[in-house]
Structure formats: structure tokens, C-alpha cells
Amino acid sequence: MEQILANGIYLGSQYAMIALGLTLIFALMNVLNFAHGQMYVIGGFVTYTFYGQWGVPFVLALVMSCVTLAILGALIEKFLFAPVIKGSAREESTMLLAAGIAFFLDAVILLVFGEKQRGVPKIVDGVFNWDFRIIMPYDRILICVLAILSIVAFIGLMQYTKTGRALRALAQDRTAAQLMGVNVDRYSMIGFALGAMLAGLVGGLLVTITGVNLGMGGPTSIKAFMMVMIGGAGVISGAIWGGIILGFMEAIGLALLYQYGDITYLLIFVSLMIFLAIRPQGLMGKPWG
Amino acid sequence: MLGFTSKQLVGVGIFLFVIFIGVPLIINATGRWDFYFTLTSVALLAIASAGVWLTFYIGRINIGQGAFALIGAYVSAILVVKAGWSFWISLPVAGLFAAVVAILIGLPILRLRGVYFAMITLVLTQVVTLTALALPITNGAKGISNIPLPSGISLLGIPILPDFAGMENTKLAFYFTACIIMVLTYAALYRLVNSRLGHLCRSMQQNEELASSIGVNIAYIRIVIFAISSFFGGLGGAMFGSIAQSVYPSSFQVADSVNFMLNCFLGGLGYVFGPMLGTLVLYFGWDLLFEFGKYQMLIYSTILIIIIRFLPNGLLSIRFDKGGDK
């Protein structure tokens, strides 16, 4: 039981970070970022290149992941999403753009990093063993702590800085924020960059444990969508709850039903559909997003 | 005639001429027989995309068509292989089965809107794939292979449809079958959009509350539309399974569901024939770029991004100013 809880916290903290970036982008621009999983994969590959191949310290490699993704996110927002949102008759057209970008990033990853599964050397050796009730490698614990710290830092940023206040205002009401003198274009770009950066950060953190490969992008995006749905689209606290709930469901399901294989995911998906049918806006979302 | 302008009739005539006579002639002349398979796939995917377009027409983003295509493919395959039905009977049954599933699932989830509906349909595709893996009747990951080719049909001793297995050129036969079904689908779609139901759908697309307040039964209409949409999906999927002669849980995945949606976007959401053009451009374009080897994806996605960057309302919006052809 303790083991399941520990696994749940570990998975949940990773998931929450992925969902945070996605929900931030959604809240600000009403864009479903299909390319989120690909951004996560790129983050993983950047850390792999710096830390695994060139021997740069791990923290520095993580920073490089964040910087790369932030720049990438800013460019994508400025030159692709912003003009398309302005020019299209129905704002759903951005979904086509997002999917196009997902394909494009997949192609770039394939050309630059290849299709092989890549892993890096362990950052810390050893396994934490509490009387055989909780067994967890130290590097997982470290990654989990780092993830929780980043989430706390992100919430701090959103709550207590000028940028965070502007972003929250933007998410609440775009027009009103503009009238209050918020530079909407600039903060949209910053928000998108921040969301992409979070994806890159998780990618960089997780490459030390699960490694990284080209095919991880799509499934990661789908999981992120699910977490966002559980918590409610565009709500920061919802994304965190969604991540934690999905993490625990997966940990519990895999522990109890491991002999049936994919049944866990089937059950999760079905219960999610039932949940959403009863409460369409998720745990804490606004109705009709 | 029938309320069509002569210009429209000429357009339809040219279109029919091209797909039924022009294309076979060109393929015969160039010897690119593989194009038959590509174009047949385009026709079938266009049928499924037509369904997605219809759900867009009531203002819902549908990323779940892959689920219904997979359901259709499995129903037809199981009926043909395990129950020994004729393919031609299993085809409409597959469509109807998909429609019934759509009604059952649609009752709760059609209350959702916007991204919530989009994401739940995305999850639906996963659910159907995983169910196909788990159920015994679908054979799990092994899928159903060696589906026999469609057999002939004769009424009172007169052959109506020939036996596909005895044919020299099944590719051509499948091409014609797919094209005929596609033409029928789009004719039905055009008729539907220009009927009373079509007007009601447009009112829902703009504002559901307002439509409801003036007496439109929105709950009923959205179920009907979703069922029709899924019927198309099941039809396309069943036909696809028959051509590939096999169905696997991975035959239609989330990526396919997304592609169906992209076809509609690319062609333009405001045009009945948008999804057909979108499917042609996306699928055929992908095939043509095959020669670029590993750069295929890069070039493809770059073109896609450029198109949406400069034509955010779809390809057919180039002629938006002239009034369109809605």
C-alpha cells in the first residue's frame, strides 16, 4: 500500500507538470496544443545531448532544455499562432495549426536525434528501501522532489509576480486585461513560452529515468489532455489535481490489475468518460470552456 | 432542374467524369496502378471525414471518428468472417451499428461543448482501440485477417454485383465502389445541409441557447447528426477493412481521428465539399512526397503549416469573396 502511494505521488508530480504547461497555454490563448508531447520529447533530447553526450552537469542541461523550449514556444506563438488566431473565422482552426506543428516537430526530432530510444547515466545511485514497504531508487525521489519544487515555483510565479498577475488577468478576460493596460500580445507570447518551457523541463527531468524516444510525443499529449479534462480546462489548480489523480489511478490500477495488461487504461478512460458526462467542466473548471 | 443552377450541374458533371472516366484513363496511360489504392483510400477517408464535417456543422469538434471507423470495420469483419454474411449486407449493418453506438454514447457526451467535447471524443478513440484489444470476439492484438473479398449479389438470378474474388482487377472494382459510395455520401450531405434540418444545424452552430429558445429541439438534432456522422464513419471503416482484408486495433487510432478532423479544417469548414478536397490534398500529398524519403514528414508538415498560416479558413476560402458554394 505504501508502495502504491509512493508510486502515485511520483507519477502524479510528473503528470501535474506536463498538464500545467498545457492548461496554461489553453487558458491564455484557447489553443489545444497538440504539440505539447513533442515539446516534452524535445526537452528530453536536449538534456540527453548536453548531459548524456557532452557531460555537462545535469542542472545546466536542464536549464538548456528550458531555454530551448522557451525560445521555441515564443517563436511558435509569435509567428504562427498569433497571426492565425487573428485571421481565422473560427478559432478551432488553431487545432490544425497545432497538429501541423506536432507533425513538424516529430519530423525535426526524427532528423536531428534519430528514432532510437535514448537514456542517460543515473544522476544518483542507490535505492531507498524502507523495510521492504517502500522501495524507490534515489534518482526517482530526487526527480519527484525537483518536480514538486518546480510546481511550487510556478505557482509562486503566477501568484506573486507582475508577470503572473498579467497572465492570470489574461486568462480571466482578454478584453478586460487589455483595457487595464496589459500588453496582450507580449504576455501571450510569454505565457506560451512558459508553457513550452514546463514541457521541456519535465522532458529533461524524466529522461534520467524513462529515457526518451520519438514515439513518446503523441501518447504524452493524450495523457496531458486527460489530466486537463479531469481538473477542468484552463485552471491551474485543476491541472495539478488532474495530474495527481491520474498518477494515483495509474499507480493503483497497475498494481491491482497488472496481469490484465491494458485493462487499467481502459478502466481509466471509461471512468473518465462517465465522470465528464456527469460533470463536463471537470473538478474546478468553468462550464463550457 | 431540381433547383440547381446550370453551372453547378456542369461542375458535378465534370467531377463525375473525372473520377469515373478521367482517372482510370490517366492511370492506364501512366501505368501508376498504385494510385488506385491511394485514391480508393482517399475516397473512403473522405466518407468518414464527411461525418466529422457534419458534427462541425452543429458546432462540435469531433476527434472521435476513428472510433466509429474501427467499430464499423470490426462489425463488418466479424459478420463476414464469423457469421458468413455477404459483405454488401454487412456494410450498411456496420454503419447502422456505429450509428446506434453513437446514439448511446452521444446521449451523455453531446451535452458537452467546445474543447470538452473534442477531448472526450479523443478519449473515445482510445477506449474503442483498447476495447478491441481486450474483447475476445475481436481477437485482441492479432486482429481479424484473411477477410474474404466481397462476394457477388444476384437478385432473381440476375447478377447485380460481380464477385470480387473472381475478378482480374480488384483494384479498379474497389476504386469504383468507393467512389460510388463517396458520391452518394456527399450527395446525401449536400441534400441534408440544404434541407430544413441543415438550417436548424446552422442555427445551432451559431448559438444553441438561442436556437433552443425559439423552439429548435437541439437535444434531438445533435443526436441525429452525431448518428449520421458516425454512420458515415462506420461505412468508411467497414469498406477499408474489406480492402485491406484485415482489421487490427491499430487500424484506426487517435492519429487517424485527428487526421479526419484535419481534413475538414484544411478543406474549409464552411463548404460541403471541403472535407473531400482536404482528404485528397492531405492523403495524396503525403503519398506524393514519399520520394523524399526521410524528409517526407518535414516537407509535408511545413506545407501544412504554411497553408494554415496563410489560409486559416481552409483551402476553399480562396474564393471566399465570390460568395462560396455553400
Side-chain angles (χ1 to χ4, degrees):
Chain A
M1 190 60 211
E2 290 89 347
Q3 181 68 44
I4 296 175
L5 282 180
N7 286 347
I9 293 171
Y10 162 72
L11 275 174
S13 60
Q14 317 295 344
Y15 285 173
M17 272 184 80
I18 304 179
L20 267 182
L22 190 73
T23 212
L24 178 68
I25 292 174
F26 178 76
L28 292 178
M29 347 236 322
N30 232 347
V31 166
L32 256 191
N33 187 14
F34 278 100
H36 208 70
Q38 275 75 14
M39 291 176 169
Y40 156 87
V41 172
I42 291 183
F45 270 117
V46 170
T47 299
Y48 159 76
T49 311
F50 276 89
Y51 171 66
Q53 295 214 293
W54 298 344
V56 177
F58 179 65
V59 179
L60 216 60
L62 268 188
V63 173
M64 286 313 296
S65 277
C66 294
V67 171
T68 316
L69 264 298
I71 294 172
L72 187 70
L75 291 178
I76 287 176
E77 202 282 331
K78 179 142 180 64
F79 292 106
L80 295 172
F81 276 108
V84 167
I85 290 174
K86 284 200 180 84
S88 75
R90 294 176 66 166
E91 56 182 20
E92 292 102 324
S93 300
T94 54
M95 288 173 102
L96 173 56
L97 179 63
I101 292 171
F103 290 148
F104 181 78
L105 292 182
D106 256 341
V108 171
I109 296 167
L110 178 66
L111 288 177
V112 177
F113 299 106
E115 53 193 326
K116 284 205 190 88
Q117 163 83 19
R118 303 284 188 189
V120 296
K122 273 182 177 295
I123 33 176
V124 211
D125 280 324
V127 175
F128 173 79
N129 186 344
W130 179 47
D131 208 13
F132 287 98
R133 290 161 86 179
I134 297 181
I135 301 172
M136 188 152 269
Y138 279 122
D139 56 349
R140 288 199 182 207
I141 297 174
L142 180 69
I143 296 300
C144 180
V145 171
L146 282 177
I148 292 171
L149 282 180
S150 331
I151 294 172
V152 171
F154 175 76
I155 294 174
L157 177 83
M158 290 301 281
Q159 292 295 334
Y160 300 112
T161 65
K162 193 167 171 248
T163 317
R165 222 170 31 242
L167 290 177
R168 278 186 293 141
L170 212 58
Q172 242 174 36
D173 191 326
R174 216 178 165 80
T175 322
Q178 196 163 20
L179 288 172
M180 295 300 127
V182 176
N183 187 341
V184 171
D185 293 340
R186 180 153 164 258
Y187 279 104
S188 294
M189 194 170 96
I190 291 176
F192 203 102
L194 202 59
M197 195 186 88
L198 279 173
L201 184 59
V202 198
L205 285 174
L206 279 188
V207 74
T208 59
I209 292 166
T210 53
V212 62
N213 69 60
L214 177 64
M216 285 164 85
T220 307
S221 293
I222 295 173
K223 270 191 187 162
F225 287 156
M226 286 176 47
M227 296 176 255
V228 167
M229 271 195 292
I230 295 173
V235 187
I236 302 282
S237 52
I240 295 172
W241 277 113
I244 292 171
I245 290 172
L246 187 72
F248 270 95
M249 279 167 83
E250 238 185 89
I252 294 170
L254 289 177
L256 296 180
L257 299 166
Y258 62 93
Q259 67 267 50
Y260 301 109
D262 284 332
I263 289 282
T264 306
Y265 290 97
L266 184 58
L267 284 178
I268 291 178
F269 287 129
V270 171
S271 48
L272 179 64
M273 286 188 67
I274 296 170
F275 169 69
L276 282 180
I278 298 164
R279 196 173 162 80
Q281 70 270 38
L283 282 178
M284 17 193 90
K286 305 165 272 188
W288 314 136
Chain B
M1 198 178 90
L2 292 170
F4 291 107
T5 63
S6 56
K7 209 174 153 192
Q8 279 172 321
L9 282 178
V10 170
V12 172
I14 292 174
F15 173 72
L16 291 178
F17 179 82
V18 166
I19 62 167
F20 287 115
I21 300 169
V23 169
L25 281 179
I26 293 170
I27 288 182
N28 249 336
T30 56
R32 288 293 299 264
W33 288 90
D34 55 319
F35 277 173
Y36 271 132
F37 183 72
T38 313
L39 288 172
T40 310
S41 306
V42 168
L44 295 177
L45 295 175
I47 295 169
S49 303
V52 180
W53 185 87
L54 198 56
T55 33
F56 270 116
Y57 208 62
I58 57 167
R60 294 289 199 286
I61 308 165
N62 183 352
I63 327 183
Q65 191 70 318
F68 295 105
L70 193 63
I71 290 174
Y74 265 113
V75 168
S76 164
I78 289 168
L79 287 179
V80 169
V81 173
K82 302 206 168 154
W85 287 30
S86 162
F87 170 74
W88 301 110
I89 303 173
S90 80
L91 187 64
V93 172
L96 286 175
F97 189 85
V100 171
V101 173
I103 291 172
L104 293 179
I105 294 177
L107 278 172
I109 71 168
L110 277 166
R111 299 190 302 138
L112 276 61
R113 287 180 211 177
V115 281
Y116 295 106
F117 185 78
M119 292 201 268
I120 206 166
T121 47
L122 189 79
V123 172
L124 182 66
T125 319
Q126 280 284 28
V127 168
V128 172
T129 309
L130 290 174
T131 312
L133 274 171
L135 284 181
I137 195 167
T138 52
N139 245 354
K142 287 195 294 272
I144 298 174
S145 48
N146 292 326
I147 302 172
L149 288 167
S151 54
I153 288 186
S154 51
L155 191 67
L156 303 171
I158 309 158
I160 300 173
L161 286 165
D163 189 353
F164 275 45
M167 235 182 271
E168 288 171 29
N169 195 345
T170 45
K171 277 183 182 167
L172 190 65
F174 270 124
Y175 172 74
F176 279 130
T177 320
C179 281
I180 290 169
I181 299 179
M182 180 182 79
V183 168
L184 291 177
T185 303
Y186 278 86
L189 195 64
Y190 185 85
R191 179 72 187 84
L192 196 146
V193 166
N194 288 290
S195 68
R196 183 169 176 275
L197 189 59
H199 285 288
L200 297 180
C201 293
R202 276 198 292 284
S203 75
M204 281 179 66
Q205 184 188 336
Q206 283 170 6
N207 190 333
E208 278 193 20
E209 280 82 18
L210 190 60
S212 172
S213 74
I214 51 173
V216 178
N217 189 348
I218 56 170
Y220 171 73
I221 289 178
R222 61 194 183 198
I223 292 279
V224 168
I225 293 291
F226 195 51
I228 298 174
S229 149
S230 307
F231 178 81
F232 289 154
L235 215 59
M239 196 73 207
F240 218 97
S242 163
I243 289 175
Q245 292 191 278
S246 57
V247 190
Y248 304 100
S250 57
S251 295
F252 291 98
Q253 290 173 307
V254 171
D256 298 284
S257 283
V258 173
N259 280 335
F260 287 134
M261 179 194 71
L262 295 186
N263 294 337
C264 299
F265 274 131
L266 192 70
L269 293 178
Y271 312 91
V272 174
F273 300 103
M276 206 196 298
L277 182 71
T279 315
L280 181 73
V281 172
L282 272 182
Y283 196 88
F284 205 58
W286 171 251
D287 230 50
L288 285 181
L289 290 173
F290 185 73
E291 290 165 22
F292 291 97
K294 64 176 182 175
Y295 297 102
Q296 183 185 20
M297 189 66 155
L298 191 70
I299 299 171
Y300 176 77
S301 52
T302 310
I303 295 173
L304 195 63
I305 291 175
I306 291 173
I307 291 177
I308 191 67
R309 168 68 181 81
F310 293 103
L311 291 170
N313 296 319
L315 285 175
L316 286 174
S317 66
I318 297 177
R319 33 175 298 183
F320 200 67
D321 303 330
K322 296 176 199 160
D325 62 346
K326 197 188 266 183

